Amino acid sequence: MQLIPKSNEIKQRQSMHQIATQLQAGNDHYTLTETAYGHLVIRTSLKNKSVNTAVKTITGLNLATKPLSSVSNDKYLICWISPDEYLLLVPEKTEFEIESRLRDKIKGHFAIVNITGGQTVLELSGERAETILKKSSSYDIHQSNFPVGKVVTTVFAKSQLILRRASDDSFQLVIRRSFSDYLWQWIVDAGSRE
């Protein structure tokens, strides 16, 4: 009988380790890396002012209230997903503590779900990053339509993801872990073509 390892013995959030080792990503024109974050989904009405107060106290950020927008600082990222849904990315291994602190501070109707185990974040950057994304999604990511900070949920390589422009030539792709190997291979293939 095999014992289940304690959570601190499990290598957390390394869903891309094996494929990244086998299939190197990046060249002189783009880089692709996995970044470990904790993922919390917050569902609430903006009428519940205690949510923004709690989020601001803990992260230093107000909720992103403009549709398809995001706010960030050096530790946290909040993405507007829908009128009552936000994705809060927090430093790795702090999601349980932050969820507890938010639950203690928020009053009224709300939901917080830790979905860290189901998602990961890929960071795609470089001069060819936008071209790779254009090959993979039908969403118009031209700078005039998709400026820095904008967030969309869209189809990507026959899958789905949350896409955020982090800078002029840098993007964050929030993907399901179950599709991570497939999407990594897709991006490597797209990055190898002109």
Side-chain angles (χ1 to χ4, degrees):
M1 179 171 162
Q2 184 178 6
L3 297 175
I4 299 173
K6 295 178 184 176
S7 61
N8 62 356
E9 295 173 351
I10 299 171
K11 290 184 178 180
Q12 294 185 359
R13 297 184 249 324
Q14 292 187 354
S15 60
M16 305 302 300
H17 175 74
Q18 187 169 349
I19 190 69
T21 302
Q22 295 172 358
L23 187 59
Q24 295 294 315
N27 55 34
D28 293 339
H29 305 288
Y30 83 97
T31 59
L32 179 66
T33 56
E34 180 184 24
T35 306
Y37 290 103
H39 299 239
L40 299 174
V41 170
I42 303 171
R43 301 291 304 256
T44 188
S45 166
L46 284 179
K47 293 177 184 175
N48 185 347
K49 302 296 183 196
S50 72
V51 176
N52 192 62
T53 301
V55 169
K56 174 108 178 163
T57 300
I58 293 167
T59 67
L61 298 168
N62 287 309
L63 289 174
T65 56
K66 183 180 175 189
L68 307 178
S69 68
S70 65
V71 293
S72 64
N73 57 26
D74 59 340
K75 291 175 76 174
Y76 302 99
L77 169 64
I78 303 172
C79 299
W80 183 100
I81 303 299
S82 74
D84 68 348
E85 182 178 358
Y86 303 89
L87 174 63
L88 171 59
L89 297 181
V90 301
E92 150 177 62
K93 299 181 184 175
T94 66
E95 58 272 13
F96 298 108
E97 173 201 344
I98 291 171
E99 178 183 357
S100 296
R101 290 175 63 197
L102 286 169
R103 287 185 183 282
D104 288 343
K105 294 184 179 303
I106 298 174
K107 310 298 180 215
H109 298 286
F110 69 95
I112 301 174
V113 180
N114 180 346
I115 59 170
T116 305
Q119 295 186 162
T120 191
V121 178
L122 298 181
E123 302 209 0
L124 177 64
S125 61
E127 65 184 44
R128 198 175 285 168
E130 191 170 309
T131 302
I132 292 169
L133 293 174
K134 287 177 181 177
K135 293 177 183 181
S136 308
S137 178
S138 60
Y139 189 81
D140 179 8
I141 61 162
H142 187 273
Q143 183 84 25
S144 62
N145 184 59
F146 197 63
V148 172
K150 188 170 181 178
V151 176
V152 296
T153 302
T154 187
V155 174
F156 182 87
K158 301 180 184 178
S159 180
Q160 176 263 329
L161 57 62
I162 298 168
L163 179 64
R164 175 179 179 264
R165 185 185 286 267
S167 68
D168 288 344
D169 67 350
S170 177
F171 300 85
Q172 292 171 311
L173 294 73
V174 181
I175 63 172
R176 294 180 187 172
R177 286 187 191 275
S178 57
F179 287 97
S180 60
D181 283 8
Y182 162 71
L183 292 174
W184 183 275
Q185 292 176 66
W186 181 285
I187 293 168
V188 169
D189 183 64
S192 69
R193 301 169 190 263
E194 290 298 322

